Each structure stands twice: as structure tokens, then as C-alpha cells.
Amino acid sequence: MYLNVHSQYSLRYGTMSVKTLVEEAKARGITQMVLTDINNSTGVMEFMRECRKQGIKPIGGMEFRRDKKLLYIGIAGNREGMKELNDFLTFYNLAQKELPDEPPAFINAYTIFPFGHKALLKSNEYVGIRFDELHQLYNREVQQPEKMLTLQPVFVSNKIGYRLHEYLRGIDLNTLITMVEKEDKCKETDLFLNPGELESKFVKYAYILDNTRRLMDSCQMDYPDGKVKLNRKNFTGNKKDDKALLEKLAMEGMLYRYGAKNREALKRLKKELKVIFELDFCAYFLITNDIIQYSMRRGYYHVGRGSGANSIVAYCLRITDVDPIDLDLYFERFLNAERTSPPDFDLDYSWDEREDVQDYIFKRYGREHTALLGTMSTFKDRSVIREIGKVMGLPKSEIDGFTDQSLASFNLDNETFKRIMMIYQLMTNMPNQRSIHAGGVLISEEPITYYTALDLPPKGMPTVQWDMYEAEAIGYDKYDILSQRGIGHIKEAVKLIAQNQGQRIDIHQVKDFMKDPNLNARLKTGNTIGCFYIESPAMRQLLTKLTCENYLTLVAASSIIRPGVAQSGMMKTYIQNFHKPDQVVYLHPVMEAQMKETFGVMVYQEDVIKVCIHYGGMDGTDADILRRGMSGKYRSRVEFDRLVEKFHEGAKVLGRPEEVTKEIWRQVSSFAGYSFSKAHSASFAVESYQSLYLKTYYPKEFMVGVLNNYGGFYTRWLYVHELKRADALVHLPCVNRSTAVVSISRNDAFLGFVGIQGLENKYMEVIPEERNHHGDFLNLEDFVKRTEISLEQVIILIRCGALRFTGKSKKTLLWEVHSLLGQKAKPNNYAELFQLEAKKFVLPELVNTKLEDAYHELELLGYPLTLSMFDLLKTNYRGDVMTKDLSSSIGKVVRMVGLYVCEKTVRTKNNKKMWFGTFIDVEGNYFDTTHFSNVTPVYPFRGTGCYLIQGKVVEDFGFPSIEVQKFAKLEILGNPVMT
């Protein structure tokens, strides 16, 4: 009798998870019910799975609301009816229109209006009446009694659930819990009633119960039982042609990658194709290939990464640029017969090209069959406490007191805190709002609205209402179309090199780059600012400590830098073993054979697979399942335990010593949980080499590319610093030379209008456009008239030096612009009939100092260009030593002056804090500092600027740094404008 049941997916309204909801229903003997979450069908497929487990008949539906008002409820008669409901909501979501007062006449779905609906009901329409509304039927003739249904909404499970509901409503409405109105929340009786209780309330209206039962009995959610593949089933039109096409393309690609005589490549290619055919993954490969071919035709550059790089077929199709034979990568890591979760390719594009690739997919495969993948953000951690505190009406200071310290250390006797924690425990990890996945795309065989309604988030493309985990459970394999700025750096640098130097670069000749001694020399010294994945202080240190000068070492570095490996101590062990390979003690000759490349340390997920295969005698499929199980992704504990036993039995059959096997298993199991895919690291390393090549041979264009794609790890001024170090003449923005972004002509680089604080976006486009159409600006008056710029905006440009082409000082220009525009914010917006020259006045000489200019630049650009931060210091002292002297000063206490670049805070194993800093000396070179917890509270970081640093020079595997003893920010000269 429950036609109107809600889960937590009725966001900030419903309180029960789908699983809890079904368990509650089971406990009350309910045999069928309808899930009708508010304006979404997120949970319907999950609801059907859970109901079938519990022997309950599931019925899908949706409750439609507008401005918090219940309009009507839709109930699906079958899967076609569910599609009708999803299509209906999708239309209004994508058109961004409000839901209508009445829905269309559904063919396979029923509509239930709330009691009081006046219009004549169609054949598929009914009216629902709640038990607390039955008194309105007393002594009254019921019109169309056959259309009356029992309506018992379910939102909560008990009184505690109702209190949670009130908090959720307060959060949703951004108001105090005491201010939530009755109409903004459900009733305390909106729950599953005890067995027989609902029937007893309708005992005088048995026909209403009969109507309800009859409608529910007629519904049948005829979706197939169990998991089925829902992705587009073929590419060409049938599986036979798909198989033939994939084989043809793969063989052609093998000739391109390996030549005609590579037997090892041919053998592996055929083996992989056999698995792909058997597992019905031809269409998945062919569609991915189609996406790649489109983007290559458009001249877009992509990086294929993730476990897909374990596939030689992917390499031959140019989906990835990682050679799995070179790196001994296992195909089973990507695809095997026993894999429980679908594999996917991660395709990275430049941030400004990805949307076009997504648009192609929608147009190529049809909007009915294509959608972006959603995601579900949840109430998490301290943010939950903050939201609860606001709803309770606590002052900000008290909320901060609860959130700024460890929950475990808080006074548990505090009554307010107890109340917060009670709600916190109920609310944590509840769905909060639907959003969009980073890059997942679904391509469906059937119209996708059989399984979900679609949203239209700010991205502007239809998006499913559930996340990747639900997609996998339903039967969808996603295509990941991602973006990253590193590709933008490379793409723009290549374009700028062609424009500025007339040279065309083939950036895909990565194997040649890997052999280039100049690139490897740069890698070895950590001179990598701006280069993808290898520019952070930690990575530059690691490269130096490893004296990294080849691809394989870089691949390893890309993996061991990750937090899990680094914090486990394996990074330090790897560095030690790297420098003393002859002293590495291997537990067994098999371990030496398999782990020699990584000096006895398991660095990659693939290492786990190798050990399972070569030491434990397992096949690749079981080895990958075991690897996934150790990272918490096993299908079942029983299956996992069986494979653990199989490893030990296999080792025993092969004659491995039992004690050695136990220790090897201990190491494998402790490592697998935070290991990283070698294919992933290899993909990153390929892109790193491409960046290295550009930075080494075309540093000016490369750094402009970095700036125009909005940098990377560091703030903007550091990339400007690197551009100057590349011997470019960096100029302030100029209205006669600059564009919106940084431009370069030979050695002259002009900063763009982007980045000038306070400058409106429209002028960033208007100024270069007007100049290109009608020539350079002649003077201030000409500039103001042609751009119709406001007084406030032109003042910003004058102050940042963008009108220096006039040859006049800023002060003179400011005087003139006030004279020209008077008190008007904007000149008259019409063309002058006659060009009348403005009157000119003779002014005394108004001079700007470099110090004034530097302060203008600090304010408007965020960094000075006319002077350096060192030039602004009150003191002339620049330190006893420079960065270049550190290696010869090991063990000495030195004093240095450094310009702050960045800092990082970490917690040690005993839960103490320590800090790491990066600075630049007056010569422009980088050095690093370590700040222990006993020093930093006394000598803290105080933001950007120059610091006087005293400390001991220490060295770790050839990398010198300063252990700080004293630390103070230095004063700069005062702003002359303010004095």
C-alpha cells in the first residue's frame, strides 16, 4: 500500500538509504512498494536490486515538485513507463523549464494527484488520499471513487529519523531548525506503519485499499535480473564486422609501432585480441579509437593513461603512447575474464579542447544514447558539523571551536557537542547534492532514459542522476574524457614555436626525447619548473636524489612520490637501494629476477602481479584479482581467501621455502593497498619528457604556454620569473602590443590583460580587437574614444603601465584622463560629428619613481616587474651564501636571504607537524628548507616576501637543504604613495 516511498536520494529531505528502506519494509511484512524520490530517479535501479534480494516486489516512480509544492506522483507500470517518467523530467531539466501543473497522459505510467485535485481525471490518473485526510470524505459523495488511492508517504523511520529530517530541511533552506515551517517538512507520521495499521485506518473505505492494491498489482518492472552489459553493443552494426575491423586496425598499428618483423609484438597482439573478442570488448576499443581519430583530425593532442596502457592493442591504435612490451606491463591488469569492474581508458585533453571532444561523442552516438556521468557529493567530516551548528543557531566562534580541533580531543561532556555528534553520526556520508563526474561519458545501446532521468548541470551537457559505482552496478562501462593543463602547456608551446620561430615540432617523438642527453641532464638536476608532474619541490628533490637520467627511473619516481609509498618508508628504501644495488638482499632468486629493475622494492601494482605469477605460480587473471582484493576491491571475502590459499599452495608446489613465502606475502599484502599502476606512471613520464623537451630547446615559448594555460603547481609570478630566466624580455601589459594572454615575438614577451586585478573581461577582448581593426592607438584620447572605456578601467591600465607608449608619466596620464572624462564614468556612447581636439594645458613635470611603479604592479598584477622583491628590501644584505654554494657548505650554519615560493605542512608518525619551504635567492636559483616543530611556532611563515634564514646545511643523497634554526620576514620599503 506504499505508493510514495522516499530514500536519501530525495536530497536533504529523505533520511533512509535504499538498503535501510528495503530492510524496514521487509521487517514490516511489506510485499510491494513504489520508490518515488523527489524530482529524480537516482535510486530506482538500486531499489530494484535490493527489493529482489529481500523478496519484495519493486515498483519505480517519481514525485514531481515545483517550488517545494507537490504537483503529482508518477508510477511506472513497466520499464516503458519508467522511461516515460524519466523522459518527462529530462525534457524539463534540459529545457530549463518549470514542471507544468499537469503532466501528459502517460501510456505506461500512472499519475497520482494529491487530494483536492479538481480536474476530470484521465484513464491513467488517480487521486491519493492520506489517512489524516479521510475525515474530508465524511458525509460526502465521492466523485469517481474508482480513482481514489491510499497515499501514505514515507520519509523517515522513527522519531530520531524525523529529527534528522528537520536538520536536513534547515540545511536545505539555510535557516534555523526552529524556523523551518510545517509546509517545508514532512509529517511525523510519514513512515512505515506497523503491520495492519494502515489497513485499519482505511477500514471504512475498503474500496480505496482495493484500488491501490489493484494498481500496484498491475505494475511490473520488467528489467532483466542480474547485471547485463548496457553499453553500445557494436560499432559497425554487427559483432562480426567489429571483430574484423579491430583486427585490421590493430595489425596496421602494429606495423606503425613495431615494424613488420617483431614476433613478440605479434604474439602478444593476437593473445590480447583473443581476450577482447571473447569478452565482447570490440565495440569499446573501436569507439575509443573513433574518439582518438576525431581528435587527431582536429589537431588535438591527447594522453591515454591508466590501466589501458597495459594493452598493446591500445598502443597500436595510438590510444596510448606507452609501449607495454618495453615496460613489461601485464594485459591482465587491464582486462581479464574474471575482472568484476569494467576497465576504462583515461583520455586526457587540453582543458580548452575536451568539451569539443565530448560534443563530438554526443553528436556521433546520439543524445538519446549518450550522457555525462554524474557523481554524488555527501555530507563529510567537519563540514557536517559546521552545517549542523548553523542550523542550531550557534555563533561562528563556537562552531569554529568545534571544527578547528580533533573531534577525539574535544570535551565529550559538552552538551551542545553531544547533540551535534548525534546528528553528525546520522548525517555523515548521506548524499548531499548531485554533481558531475570529472570526465566519465556513457554510450548506451538503448535510450539511456530507461535507467535514469537526466540533469543539465552548468557544464551544459545531459548528465545521468547516479554515479560511477551505480553505473557499474547497472552494467555501464564509462569512457573517461578528462582534461589537464599540462597538455595545454604542450599544445600552446608547439603552436607558439611555429609562429615565433617557424619550426614545426613533432611532439610525439618521445622515444627520441628519452635518449637526449640534454633532457636527461636537466632531469638529473631537477631543473623542471613548468614540466608536467615533475615540477613540485618534492618531485624535484626526488629527481636529484635519484640522479634521474632515464625514462625507467622517471617512471619509478612518478610512482614512489605518491603519499602511500612515501609514507611507508619504501621511497627511502628505494633511493638507498638505487645508489647501492650490489648491497640489495633479495629474499629469493625469483624476487631478484622480477624486482631487479626496482632494486628489490615493490613500486607498482604490476609488481604484485609479477610476484604472484612468478613466485606463487598463479595465472595473470587470478594474480590481478588478488591484487585488487588486497586494495579492498574483492568480489567476496571467500573468493579472496581462496586466492590467498592458492598463492601459498602454488609457492609450495614450486618448492619455495615456507618462511620465505610468509615474508614475501607479508610484504606483498602490506604494499598492495597503496600501490600505483606502472602504466599510469609511464603515461605521466611520457608527458613529462615532452614538457622537458620544450623547456630545454624552446624555453621562452614553453613558459608562455604555461602562463597562458594558467600555470601548474606554482603561482603565476614564478612562471614569469622562469620566463625571464629563459632570457626573454618580459614587458608589462601594453594596449598597443598585448592581447588577453601573454604574447611573444622573438625575445619580447608582453604580459596579457588577463591577470590585471579589477580589469573587466570585456576590455581584455575589446582593446586588441579594436587595435587589429583600426591600427595602433595614437594617444590617450584616441584610446579612450575608440574603446569607450570607463574612467575607473582606464585608471587601472594607466597605473599598471599599459599606456606607457604615449611617453608620458603615469601621473601626467592620470591628470589628463580626469580632465578628458571629468566626473563621467564613461564617455558619450555616440560618434562625434566633428573631431575636436581637446584643450591642452601645460603641466609641471610629473615623475613616477620605480618604487611607485613596483607598488602599482604589486597591487594590480600581484608581483613587481619593474623592480624585484629583493630591490624592495630595506636592507642591502643578501645572505652569506647563495644556492650554488650549498653543496660545498654541508654541515655549516649559514645565513641566506630567500624569496618565498611555497610551503608544505606534513604530520609525522608521532602526529607532530613539520614544514618544508622553497625559496629563491637573489641570483634567481631555488633552495629548500626544513622547519621542525620545535622551531616553526617561534619563527613561523608569514606569507609572501623575502626572509632571512639561518640554519644548518644538510645533504640527503646529494640534495642540499637548510635545517632552519631562525627565520624572519624582512621589511620592505614603504609605499611612497601612502607616505
Side-chain angles (χ1 to χ4, degrees), residues 285-305:
F285 272 82
L286 288 170
I287 289 171
T288 305
N289 177 67
D290 176 55
I291 296 166
I292 295 299
Q293 293 305 312
Y294 167 77
S295 63
M296 289 174 70
R297 289 194 300 272
R298 295 280 290 170
Y300 299 161
Y301 171 53
H302 75 277
V303 169
R305 59 177 175 83

Side-chain angles (χ1 to χ4, degrees), residues 560 562-577 601 674 909:
I560 63 175
R562 292 174 66 81
V565 184
Q567 290 170 7
S568 72
M570 284 191 177
M571 183 168 81
K572 186 173 182 180
T573 303
Y574 182 90
I575 298 170
Q576 290 171 338
N577 292 359
V601 177
Y674 49 71
K909 288 183 179 178

Side-chain angles (χ1 to χ4, degrees), residues 147-360:
K147 293 288 188 177
M148 296 289 288
L149 301 176
T150 303
L151 190 62
Q152 171 59 29
V154 175
F155 285 101
V156 301
S157 58
N158 50 35
K159 287 185 178 180
I160 294 174
Y162 186 72
R163 194 61 174 162
L164 171 62
H165 166 77
E166 289 184 305
Y167 274 95
L168 289 170
R169 299 308 299 135
I171 291 170
D172 186 51
L173 299 168
N174 194 26
T175 190
L176 300 178
I177 192 168
T178 53
M179 301 292 287
V180 178
E181 303 287 346
K182 277 187 178 181
E183 60 269 22
D184 291 327
K185 57 186 178 181
C186 73
K187 297 185 178 183
E188 290 189 61
T189 54
D190 286 351
L191 39 66
F192 288 121
L193 302 179
N194 291 324
E197 188 177 348
L198 184 60
E199 287 81 354
S200 69
K201 291 181 182 295
F202 280 82
V203 68
K204 293 182 180 179
Y205 302 93
Y207 70 91
I208 297 179
L209 294 173
D210 291 339
N211 294 341
T212 307
R213 195 175 292 110
R214 199 159 34 244
L215 182 143
M216 295 181 78
D217 288 344
S218 72
C219 297
Q220 185 61 47
M221 300 300 284
D222 49 343
Y223 287 83
D225 263 341
K227 186 173 173 180
V228 294
K229 287 285 186 183
L230 297 176
N231 275 49
R232 180 166 167 142
K233 296 190 184 305
N234 51 68
F235 178 74
T236 60
N238 65 73
K239 291 183 180 181
K240 184 179 177 182
D241 288 345
D242 274 8
K243 180 179 176 182
L245 179 60
L246 181 60
E247 189 167 21
K248 178 178 184 294
L249 294 174
M251 295 299 287
E252 289 173 354
M254 193 198 72
L255 291 174
Y256 167 76
R257 291 293 198 184
Y258 295 103
K261 298 181 179 179
N262 193 317
R263 291 185 178 180
E264 183 183 2
L266 180 61
K267 180 181 177 182
R268 173 156 176 168
L269 187 74
K270 288 183 175 180
K271 178 185 173 185
E272 284 194 17
L273 285 171
K274 183 174 183 293
V275 175
I276 293 166
F277 297 155
E278 288 173 352
L279 296 181
D280 198 18
F281 263 91
C282 285
Y284 189 84
F285 272 82
L286 288 170
I287 289 171
T288 305
N289 177 67
D290 176 55
I291 296 166
I292 295 299
Q293 293 305 312
Y294 167 77
S295 63
M296 289 174 70
R297 289 194 300 272
R298 295 280 290 170
Y300 299 161
Y301 171 53
H302 75 277
V303 169
R305 59 177 175 83
S307 62
N310 290 61
S311 166
I312 195 172
V313 174
Y315 181 56
C316 291
L317 294 177
R318 298 181 70 175
I319 294 170
T320 77
D321 277 322
V322 175
D323 184 343
I325 292 178
D326 263 5
L327 291 176
D328 192 24
L329 301 178
Y330 289 77
F331 179 61
E332 289 84 358
R333 170 65 183 82
F334 175 64
L335 188 63
N336 62 67
E338 300 300 322
R339 179 159 180 166
T340 55
S341 63
D344 53 46
F345 291 112
D346 294 338
L347 303 179
D348 285 339
Y349 288 93
S350 175
W351 62 276
D352 56 348
E353 292 173 347
R354 175 177 72 159
E355 204 165 305
D356 181 64
V357 175
Q358 290 174 325
D359 185 57
Y360 167 76

Side-chain angles (χ1 to χ4, degrees), residues 914-930:
M914 62 185 300
W915 292 260
F916 297 93
T918 300
F919 296 83
I920 295 175
D921 68 17
V922 71
E923 294 177 348
N925 297 314
Y926 298 86
F927 66 94
D928 293 87
T929 58
T930 302

Side-chain angles (χ1 to χ4, degrees), residues 750-814:
F750 278 83
L751 297 179
F753 299 121
V754 171
I756 300 177
Q757 297 295 316
L759 186 66
E760 294 174 9
N761 288 339
K762 66 177 181 179
Y763 293 116
M764 297 177 191
E765 304 299 332
V766 164
I767 293 169
E769 191 176 310
E770 171 62 26
R771 186 181 71 224
N772 291 338
H773 280 93
H774 300 108
D776 285 356
F777 300 107
L778 303 177
N779 50 46
L780 172 64
E781 184 179 354
D782 182 51
F783 173 73
V784 169
K785 288 180 177 179
R786 285 167 57 185
T787 59
E788 299 179 357
I789 195 168
S790 68
L791 177 62
E792 178 191 85
Q793 293 290 292
V794 76
I795 287 172
I796 290 172
L797 289 170
I798 290 170
R799 292 180 69 229
C800 75
L803 278 92
R804 63 189 179 280
F805 77 93
T806 61
K808 297 178 180 179
S809 73
K810 292 180 185 178
K811 291 176 181 175
T812 302
L813 289 169
L814 289 170

Side-chain angles (χ1 to χ4, degrees), residues 103-142:
F106 298 122
I107 299 170
N108 295 285
Y110 303 105
T111 301
I112 303 174
F113 292 98
F115 183 68
H117 182 76
K118 302 295 185 186
L120 188 66
L121 297 171
K122 303 183 184 77
S123 61
N124 73 312
E125 294 179 343
Y126 295 82
V127 168
I129 186 167
R130 301 164 58 105
F131 70 79
D132 54 9
E133 295 171 328
L134 287 172
H135 66 278
Q136 298 183 51
L137 298 182
Y138 180 71
N139 212 15
R140 172 180 164 188
E141 185 179 348
V142 177

Side-chain angles (χ1 to χ4, degrees), residues 522-568:
R522 179 179 292 275
L523 195 60
K524 184 177 179 179
T525 57
N527 186 1
T528 54
I529 300 290
C531 296
F532 173 76
Y533 206 71
I534 55 173
E535 64 167 336
S536 70
M539 194 64 178
R540 291 188 299 104
Q541 288 182 35
L542 179 58
L543 295 174
T544 307
K545 291 174 184 178
L546 289 174
T547 58
C548 180
E549 54 185 348
N550 59 64
Y551 175 58
L552 286 179
T553 306
L554 179 56
V555 172
S558 298
S559 187
I560 63 175
I561 194 67
R562 292 174 66 81
V565 184
Q567 290 170 7
S568 72

